[in-house]
Amino acid sequence: MDSTTVTCSASSSVATIDDEYIEGSIVRIALTHFVTYDSVEFCPGPNLNMIIGPNGTGKSTIVCAIALGLGGHPSILGRAREISDYVKHGEDRAEIEIELKSSPNLIIKRHIKKENNSSTWRINGEPATQKEVLARVGALNIQVNNLCQFLPQDKVSEFAQMNPPELLVETQRAVGDAQLGQWHESLKKLRNEEKDLALSAKGDSEQVENLEKRNQLLERDVTRFRERESIMRRVRLLELRIPFARYAAAKDEYDRAKREREAAHLNYKRIEEEHGPATRAKTSIERNAQSALQSRRDNQDALRVKTTEIDRIVQRLEQLEGDGDDARRAVSEAKHKEKQRQNRIAGLRNEIQQLEAVVAGPPPECNTEEIQRQLDAVNNRLRQISEDMAAIQAQQEDESDEQKTVMRQYRSCSEQRQALANVKERRLESLRESDSDMYNAVHWLRRNQNRFAKPVYEPIYLEINVKEKKFIDAVEAVAGQAILKTFVCQTAEDYKLFTGEVIDSQRLRVNAICCVDKVLENFKPPVPLREMKQRYGMECYLLQQVEGPNPVLTVLCSEANFHAVPYAAKEIDHESFVQSVRSFRAFTYICGDMQYRVGFSQYGKKLPQSNTFRMRPGRFLTDSRNMQRMHELDAQLNSLRERREKIEAAMQRLKREEDTFRAEDEELREKKHQLTEEKRQLMKERTDYERAKVKLQARQQSLDDELGRPNYLTQAESQFRTIIQDFGRRRCRLVKDYQVALREILRLFREKTGAAFKHMQAQAELVALARRVAERDDALREARTKFNDAERKFNAAKDRARQLLDEAKAGTDNLDEQTRQEFQDVGRDMTLEELEDALVSERAKAELYFSISPHIVQQYNQRKAEIDALKEKLSGKESRLAELSTEMTTIRDKWESKLNEIVKNISAKFSAAFDKIGCAGEVRVSTHEDYDKWGIDILVKFRDHEKLQVLTGQRQSGGERSVSTIMYLMSLQELAKAPFRVVDEINQGMDPRNERMVHSQMVQAACRPNTSQYFLITPKLLPDLEYNERMKILCIYNGEWLPNKFDWQKYIKNKQRSGNDAKGKKRKAEV
């Protein structure tokens, strides 16, 4: 454009309300070399400002200037991405100056340099940074990046397409209560932390459960290991306790010897003391006895001869009598001995016979070395089997874990591949809630496909597949939702049948198209792809990246020119590319994430007009089948199957090995039992045999001795007869001699009776005393001997006890404190025999527990430690979850109550506004367990037979979305603290009735005193719209031949006159 003019019109009373600008309102805008403007300056009013003019004159450029001049980034406009693109063609720099109402007014100036794509800033003439500008603008609550305050032309459709969470965030920002946004962000962060923490806690809990299950498998072996260790520890303690028990027994023996020694010593001393007086008495008596003996000798000398003779005779007689008695007793004893001898001989012969039967055969084999060697081999093999089985079980656990991992990966890959393969069904399922009409129409078509002459294709986005994901955004942006959701018919009759059944009869709101006489091959690229690649760096045309039935692709070409839209991932030289396509009336191309629409003016120099749009992320085709990914998943699945088969084979092999080991273990244990019994039996038989052999020899020797002895009875009888005969003869002679001697003795006895009596009395006293003394001497000698024996036993017991004590202490010197404490409690009250029996019993118990590999116990303990650590960690996470829940509840109570109050006010105003245009509307807060999914739902109803439906970018028409958008923004008018609002071409697509009613409400809402400033940009207006003196109308004209001066009053009078003439002619024609 060579020149542009902005003219302003308002009532004469506007000057009286200039002081009504609220803080932050725009007082003045000045542009230099900005987009279409060479130089322009104008002053908007404090209330409603309507900026009007034909398309392409630069109305939206003013919107861009407001956004960029207040620190906004080009991306919020949805046009060019670089700030240098806003410098007018042919100029090096541009300038935006905006004056805001403040105390004093705030003047912000932005200088844009095209050369280096940079900007410089000034605030009230002083240099500043963009950060400082944003801070000053933010302090005035201006949010150019908030669609609720600033809605550029290219973002109008995005407002309706904002999802409820996005609308909630923008509404909170528009209301201007920073605390609301802070609470919301806090809740989202806390909820995300809670979800992550809950997921992590669940994973920890599952891991704890898994580890505990794995440890349960080892628990029996670990228990047996610990029991064996406990037994072996008790064996060790008993081994340590036995020397002390031996010492205790020796100590008891020592104490007993000591007591006996003391008793013997006391007895010796007592007897020695008692023997003193008796010895002295003996000496006195001996002197008296000696005197009496001498007297007796003197008296008996006379009788000695005769007495001796008679004594010899008497003695010989007595001897003969004794010999007779002895002979008789000898015969009696001989009878008895002979009887005993015969009994002994019979008993010995019987016993010998039995023993000979025992030792008759060869001695049993008693070589237990081979059995012991076999037992040792069996025990060693049992231990080896135990270790091998533990290793196999560990391998089985590892293989099982790997199998689970492989199965998880396999299921994941299968699900991914199935998801890729079932793209069409997933896309259709997504329609169930978002577009029930289309969902029902698809199912009707599937049931009635046989009624059509040719196949009728379901909505295009169900039929096509984008080869690579990077093209999805471009495909959706170029095709648009309307085309993507269109059914494709191949004949006019099928089209008529489908629309009649689905649209007319069932009243389903769907799109359908008929592609008759159109062939895909007829759609050729306007420029060969090779030339596009070489000259401009284009990669491909969009059609080359879409797969689908030919009729469907034909529709994409005929309706969206897919065959003529080139794509480049990297930046290209836009100017040279645009100049090269001047031959086309309009042209679309994709570069990176931007969509460029190039058109050329039909007047003057036919300058290019370029619109730039940042493509929104794709929504419908994001799950397109990635064939490369499907091949990768197939390869992964094959690899995982092979791994699974190998693992299963390995597990079967390990199971067979385990079964083999278990069978061998059972056989070995049975063999061990048999060998043990065999060894015991063998040793018992050999011992019994040797004992019987020794006993047989002893009994045979005894029998020989008995048989070798003479017959006691025969010998005794023979001797008895001889003695009796000799005894008779000798007795006769002695009787005669005795009679002679006796008569002589009687005579001498009478004479010496007196002397003999005295002698005998003295001798008797002396003998009695001597006997008593001798008895005491024997007792003293015996006491001395006993004391010496007790002394010797005492010293031996003392040395033995000391030796055993030293040995016992040596075994406990290096014990740790715990073992020492256990030692104090083990076997303290048991005797030596009980301790030895207990030791044998514990060792026998230990033999029953074959050795468990320490590796298993170590693995168990490691898992146990890991379980304890995870449980502690899990406890901390659960505590944190409780804290998060409490904190979220506190914040939510404050945030939700305030939010509900705000939305309630918005909904009341929104409903009232819709009532005025004969429709219905409502605003609600939609809740969710995740706070980032909370949102605001705008529900609208434009027809009486409809229900309230959520406002979306697809369900309502363009005009309905525009009405809903402007009504929502006006509902925020009183609540929001924004000093101004900008809405660009919001009335496009509205029918005249809605446009007139919306305009009326907008004038009423925006022209009240002390309300926010409002900018409404539109290329067209209906006649006879409501007008208010607080409105200000800005008219934009452009062209090559605009006059330097223009008489607007004359222009207005001419228009009024022409209007009156037209009315007069009309009245005449009616007459």
Side-chain angles (χ1 to χ4, degrees):
M1 296 175 190
D2 294 335
S3 63
T4 304
T5 300
V6 178
T7 65
C8 305
S9 67
S11 68
S12 60
S13 63
V14 171
T16 65
I17 60 174
D18 285 346
D19 292 337
E20 293 186 6
Y21 287 100
I22 67 173
E23 189 85 0
S25 298
I26 299 176
V27 177
R28 180 177 58 86
I29 299 176
L31 307 175
T32 303
H33 301 315
F34 185 77
V35 190
T36 61
Y37 295 99
D38 289 324
S39 177
V40 67
E41 182 174 3
F42 61 95
C43 300
N47 298 109
L48 177 61
N49 294 274
M50 298 188 67
I51 302 176
I52 61 176
N55 285 329
T57 56
K59 301 183 301 301
S60 297
T61 301
I62 294 176
V63 177
C64 296
I66 295 174
L68 299 176
L70 295 178
H73 192 272
S75 62
I76 67 175
L77 298 170
R79 293 193 168 198
R81 291 185 298 177
E82 305 296 340
I83 190 65
S84 60
D85 294 336
Y86 291 89
V87 178
K88 186 174 181 180
H89 184 69
E91 300 294 337
D92 296 330
R93 62 185 60 200
E95 184 178 291
I96 306 171
E97 184 175 320
I98 299 177
E99 183 176 352
L100 302 175
K101 176 66 177 177
S102 186
S103 299
N105 283 1
L106 182 66
I107 300 175
I108 299 173
K109 183 178 288 188
R110 182 173 189 174
H111 296 273
I112 304 171
K113 295 180 181 180
K114 189 172 185 178
E115 181 181 2
N116 56 3
N117 192 34
S118 64
S119 298
T120 58
W121 300 83
R122 286 183 177 273
I123 298 177
N124 293 334
E126 298 295 330
T129 63
Q130 186 176 11
K131 185 176 181 181
E132 292 173 339
V133 171
L134 291 173
R136 297 291 295 271
V137 170
L140 296 172
N141 204 33
I142 297 173
Q143 304 169 12
V144 295
N145 60 342
N146 187 342
L147 294 182
C148 293
Q149 178 179 347
F150 199 91
L151 193 61
Q153 175 185 350
D154 298 308
K155 295 286 185 177
V156 171
S157 61
E158 290 187 14
F159 183 89
Q161 292 178 357
M162 278 196 300
N163 57 41
E166 292 173 342
L167 183 59
L168 173 60
V169 172
E170 298 298 332
T171 301
Q172 289 181 145
R173 292 177 59 205
V175 170
D177 191 338
Q179 203 171 35
L180 270 178
Q182 292 172 0
W183 285 338
H184 193 192
E185 288 301 317
S186 297
L187 287 171
K188 288 192 285 187
K189 291 179 181 178
L190 292 173
R191 174 55 181 162
N192 289 335
E193 182 183 354
E194 183 187 44
K195 289 196 297 184
D196 295 341
L197 203 58
L199 183 62
S200 176
K202 182 180 178 182
D204 290 344
S205 178
E206 290 175 352
Q207 189 175 2
V208 167
E209 183 179 357
N210 181 39
L211 292 175
E212 286 179 340
K213 287 181 179 178
R214 293 176 65 181
N215 258 14
Q216 287 175 0
L217 300 176
L218 300 179
E219 195 141 3
R220 184 174 62 88
D221 289 340
V222 173
T223 301
R224 291 175 63 85
F225 177 84
R226 289 177 176 170
E227 289 176 354
R228 189 176 189 278
E229 288 295 306
S230 175
I231 292 171
M232 294 308 296
R233 187 174 185 84
R234 182 171 174 82
V235 167
R236 173 60 179 157
L237 294 175
L238 289 172
E239 290 175 345
L240 294 175
R241 174 59 69 183
I242 285 175
F244 281 93
R246 289 173 179 163
Y247 162 72
K251 179 67 166 53
D252 292 341
E253 184 65 25
Y254 162 77
D255 292 339
R256 186 168 57 255
K258 183 177 180 181
R259 290 193 299 272
E260 290 177 355
R261 171 178 171 273
E262 291 174 354
H265 183 262
L266 291 175
N267 186 50
Y268 173 75
K269 288 297 184 181
R270 179 183 58 77
I271 293 174
E272 187 178 33
E273 290 176 359
E274 291 177 353
H275 189 58
T279 304
R280 291 190 295 272
K282 178 185 175 184
T283 304
S284 176
I285 293 173
E286 281 181 346
R287 287 195 297 269
N288 295 332
Q290 186 65 32
S291 176
L293 178 61
Q294 185 64 37
S295 177
R296 174 178 173 273
R297 287 174 180 172
D298 291 343
N299 291 328
Q300 286 181 346
D301 284 341
L303 294 173
R304 181 173 288 114
V305 174
K306 293 297 180 181
T307 303
T308 301
E309 184 178 355
I310 195 67
D311 287 337
R312 284 197 302 269
I313 294 171
V314 170
Q315 289 176 355
R316 289 174 66 185
L317 287 171
E318 291 176 353
Q319 184 177 1
L320 287 174
E321 287 294 330
D323 291 341
D325 293 336
D326 290 340
R328 284 189 292 272
R329 283 195 299 273
V331 171
S332 178
E333 288 176 0
K335 289 180 180 180
H336 181 69
K337 286 181 179 181
E338 183 62 23
K339 185 178 181 180
Q340 288 180 339
R341 187 174 74 88
Q342 292 300 326
N343 290 336
R344 285 197 299 274
I345 289 171
L348 286 171
R349 284 175 175 171
N350 184 40
E351 189 174 358
I352 287 171
Q353 186 177 2
Q354 293 176 358
L355 292 173
E356 284 178 345
V358 172
V359 299
E365 292 291 333
C366 191
N367 185 5
T368 60
E369 293 180 359
E370 177 62 22
I371 296 177
Q372 187 61 43
R373 184 184 63 78
Q374 293 181 24
L375 280 172
D376 294 340
V378 168
N379 287 329
N380 292 335
R381 181 55 184 162
L382 284 173
R383 284 191 290 271
Q384 182 63 39
I385 289 174
S386 175
E387 294 175 0
D388 291 343
M389 288 180 67
I392 287 174
Q393 289 172 354
Q395 292 180 32
Q396 287 176 329
E397 290 180 5
D398 294 340
E399 294 292 344
S400 177
D401 292 342
E402 185 177 0
Q403 185 183 40
K404 292 177 182 177
T405 302
V406 169
M407 291 305 297
R408 284 196 299 270
Q409 295 175 354
Y410 187 85
R411 285 193 297 271
S412 175
C413 290
S414 298
E415 290 170 358
Q416 292 180 45
R417 195 190 186 290
Q418 186 176 3
L420 289 174
N422 295 336
V423 167
K424 186 173 182 179
E425 295 303 320
R426 282 204 312 278
R427 291 177 183 172
L428 176 61
E429 190 61 28
S430 66
L431 293 174
R432 184 190 293 271
E433 298 295 334
S434 62
D435 196 336
S436 59
D437 286 356
M438 183 172 291
Y439 180 82
N440 293 331
V442 170
H443 280 282
W444 180 89
L445 176 61
R446 291 181 178 181
R447 293 192 301 270
N448 296 275
Q449 187 70 253
N450 60 335
R451 297 174 61 183
F452 298 95
K454 290 187 178 181
V456 175
Y457 294 100
E458 296 174 4
I460 291 177
Y461 90 94
L462 297 179
E463 299 287 356
I464 65 173
N465 178 65
V466 181
K467 296 179 181 179
E468 295 186 39
K469 287 190 175 182
K470 68 178 183 178
F471 297 104
I472 291 176
D473 297 348
V475 170
E476 290 196 19
V478 174
Q481 296 181 21
I483 294 177
L484 289 175
K485 290 188 174 183
T486 299
F487 290 82
V488 178
C489 301
Q490 299 187 65
T491 67
E493 292 76 11
D494 288 346
Y495 176 79
K496 184 178 180 180
L497 174 60
F498 179 82
T499 55
E501 289 286 344
V502 175
I503 299 177
D504 298 336
S505 299
Q506 300 183 41
R507 296 188 178 276
L508 299 179
R509 298 175 61 184
V510 297
N511 299 328
I513 192 171
C514 179
C515 58
V516 181
D517 300 330
K518 294 179 181 179
V519 182
L520 182 62
E521 288 73 15
N522 293 337
F523 293 93
K524 303 294 183 182
V527 179
L529 179 60
R530 183 175 182 181
E531 182 179 347
M532 280 287 187
K533 288 183 177 180
Q534 293 177 350
R535 293 183 60 184
Y536 310 113
M538 294 294 181
E539 294 183 15
C540 61
Y541 287 100
L542 281 187
L543 182 62
Q544 296 171 312
Q545 299 301 325
V546 180
E547 299 173 327
N550 282 354
V552 173
L553 298 180
T554 301
V555 172
L556 290 177
C557 292
S558 64
E559 301 299 321
N561 293 321
F562 262 51
H563 64 292
V565 178
Y567 176 93
K570 300 179 180 179
E571 280 296 323
I572 64 172
D573 186 349
H574 295 279
E575 290 189 7
S576 62
F577 181 73
V578 169
Q579 293 300 324
S580 68
V581 296
R582 292 183 66 87
S583 58
F584 302 101
R585 182 174 181 181
F587 198 82
T588 300
Y589 67 96
I590 306 296
C591 186
D593 60 349
M594 303 297 293
Q595 179 182 2
Y596 297 86
R597 294 177 183 172
V598 182
F600 298 92
S601 175
Q602 301 302 308
Y603 309 97
K605 297 181 181 180
K606 297 186 178 180
L607 296 175
Q609 296 176 343
S610 176
N611 289 329
T612 307
F613 307 94
R614 185 176 301 279
M615 295 183 297
R616 293 173 62 89
R619 298 174 55 196
F620 301 102
L621 303 173
T622 53
D623 53 358
S624 292
R625 289 190 295 271
N626 187 334
M627 301 308 295
Q628 181 180 356
R629 178 59 179 161
M630 289 186 71
H631 294 323
E632 292 176 357
L633 289 173
D634 288 337
Q636 290 182 21
L637 287 171
N638 290 332
S639 175
L640 290 171
R641 285 192 200 97
E642 293 177 359
R643 286 179 60 190
R644 183 180 64 185
E645 291 172 358
K646 290 181 180 179
I647 292 171
E648 290 175 351
M651 292 189 69
Q652 291 176 359
R653 175 180 57 79
L654 291 173
K655 183 64 170 62
R656 289 194 298 271
E657 292 180 3
E658 182 182 13
D659 293 341
T660 302
F661 281 131
R662 289 191 184 279
E664 186 179 358
D665 182 85
E666 293 177 359
E667 293 177 0
L668 289 174
R669 290 188 182 281
E670 181 63 26
K671 184 177 180 181
K672 178 180 178 181
H673 177 72
Q674 294 175 356
L675 290 172
T676 303
E677 287 296 319
E678 184 179 350
K679 178 181 177 182
R680 187 185 63 79
Q681 187 64 31
L682 187 60
M683 293 181 66
K684 181 178 182 301
E685 292 175 355
R686 184 57 183 264
T687 302
D688 293 344
Y689 179 85
E690 293 296 336
R691 187 181 293 113
K693 188 175 180 181
V694 172
K695 191 173 182 181
L696 175 61
Q697 293 177 354
R699 294 298 182 267
Q700 287 177 342
Q701 183 63 41
S702 298
L703 179 60
D704 293 340
D705 292 342
E706 291 295 335
L707 292 174
R709 291 189 179 92
N711 190 313
Y712 292 108
L713 182 58
T714 302
Q715 185 178 7
E717 289 177 347
S718 175
Q719 291 176 357
F720 181 73
R721 284 192 298 270
T722 304
I723 289 171
I724 290 299
Q725 293 173 0
D726 182 60
F727 173 73
R729 289 190 297 269
R730 291 170 61 192
R731 184 177 179 82
C732 290
R733 287 194 299 270
L734 286 174
V735 168
K736 292 178 179 179
D737 292 339
Y738 180 76
Q739 290 175 349
V740 173
L742 181 61
R743 284 190 293 269
E744 187 64 22
I745 286 298
L746 288 173
R747 182 183 62 81
L748 292 174
F749 184 76
R750 286 191 296 270
E751 291 177 357
K752 301 297 180 183
T753 297
F757 177 77
K758 292 179 181 179
H759 176 262
M760 289 176 62
Q761 184 177 2
Q763 187 66 32
E765 290 178 357
L766 180 60
V767 170
L769 183 58
R771 187 183 296 112
R772 288 196 299 272
V773 171
E775 289 176 356
R776 290 189 178 276
D777 286 340
D778 292 339
L780 184 60
R781 283 193 299 272
E782 184 179 357
R784 180 63 183 176
T785 301
K786 288 182 178 179
F787 172 73
N788 291 337
D789 291 341
E791 179 76 16
R792 186 173 59 258
K793 290 180 181 179
F794 168 77
N795 291 331
K798 182 178 180 182
D799 294 340
R800 175 64 175 166
R802 184 179 291 112
Q803 178 185 357
L804 291 175
L805 179 61
D806 292 341
E807 292 176 357
K809 287 182 176 180
T812 59
D813 287 342
N814 298 324
L815 295 181
D816 56 74
E817 188 61 29
Q818 180 181 357
T819 305
R820 190 177 298 277
Q821 184 63 37
E822 292 177 0
F823 170 74
Q824 295 297 329
D825 298 333
V826 170
R828 185 166 53 187
D829 299 328
M830 297 172 67
T831 64
L832 177 60
E833 291 77 9
E834 291 173 340
L835 286 171
E836 289 176 343
D837 291 343
L839 179 60
V840 172
S841 175
E842 293 299 323
R843 283 177 174 169
K845 289 180 183 178
E847 284 296 322
L848 297 176
Y849 293 90
F850 59 86
S851 178
I852 304 296
S853 173
H855 169 72
I856 295 177
V857 181
Q858 181 182 4
Q859 189 179 40
Y860 176 87
N861 292 332
Q862 288 176 349
R863 285 206 191 109
K864 186 69 169 61
E866 188 176 355
I867 289 170
D868 294 339
L870 282 173
K871 284 184 176 179
E872 183 177 357
K873 183 179 177 183
L874 186 60
S875 176
K877 290 181 179 179
E878 290 172 348
S879 300
R880 177 56 183 161
L881 285 171
E883 294 174 1
L884 289 173
S885 178
T886 302
E887 190 174 354
M888 284 191 294
T889 301
T890 303
I891 297 175
R892 175 175 175 171
D893 291 342
K894 296 184 289 186
W895 174 68
E896 187 174 13
S897 61
K898 195 166 187 178
L899 177 64
N900 287 335
E901 181 181 356
I902 291 172
V903 174
K904 182 178 179 182
N905 291 333
I906 296 173
S907 182
K909 298 180 184 299
F910 187 77
S911 298
F914 262 71
D915 286 342
K916 291 180 181 179
I917 64 173
C919 301
E922 183 181 348
V923 180
R924 301 174 184 168
V925 176
S926 60
T927 62
H928 195 274
E929 62 179 356
D930 294 335
Y931 293 101
D932 56 359
K933 295 181 181 178
W934 276 55
I936 290 180
D937 291 332
I938 300 177
L939 293 92
V940 294
K941 185 179 77 168
F942 290 92
R943 297 163 189 83
D944 293 337
H945 65 275
E946 291 180 346
K947 296 181 180 179
L948 283 171
Q949 294 180 329
V950 177
L951 177 67
T952 66
Q954 299 82 34
R955 180 176 286 117
Q956 290 77 20
S957 66
E960 292 170 346
R961 293 198 298 270
S962 297
V963 171
S964 303
T965 300
I966 194 64
M967 291 298 188
Y968 187 78
L969 295 180
M970 286 193 298
S971 300
L972 287 174
Q973 183 77 7
E974 294 182 7
L975 293 174
K977 299 178 182 179
F980 67 85
R981 278 196 177 77
V982 177
V983 179
D984 190 0
E985 298 192 13
I986 191 65
N987 58 338
Q988 295 300 305
M990 291 187 191
D991 57 58
R993 173 180 173 276
N994 286 338
E995 183 177 356
R996 191 176 298 279
M997 287 188 292
V998 168
H999 177 82
S1000 177
Q1001 292 197 39
M1002 187 183 302
V1003 171
Q1004 294 174 15
C1007 293
R1008 291 197 302 269
N1010 301 318
T1011 59
S1012 300
Q1013 192 178 37
Y1014 220 101
F1015 291 87
L1016 177 64
I1017 291 87
T1018 178
K1020 57 95 177 178
L1021 285 173
L1022 297 172
D1024 300 326
L1025 291 175
E1026 183 177 346
Y1027 180 76
N1028 189 287
E1029 62 180 6
R1030 294 180 180 274
M1031 293 171 55
K1032 193 166 189 177
I1033 301 174
L1034 305 174
C1035 299
I1036 301 179
Y1037 300 90
N1038 69 358
E1040 299 181 38
W1041 299 283
L1042 286 176
N1044 293 329
K1045 294 183 178 180
F1046 196 81
D1047 190 347
W1048 291 103
Q1049 296 297 328
K1050 183 178 180 181
Y1051 173 79
I1052 293 173
K1053 290 180 180 179
N1054 290 335
K1055 293 296 290 183
Q1056 289 176 344
R1057 186 184 305 112
S1058 63
N1060 292 333
D1061 293 343
K1063 291 179 180 178
K1065 292 179 180 179
K1066 183 177 180 181
R1067 283 195 297 270
K1068 290 180 180 180
E1070 291 174 352
V1071 174

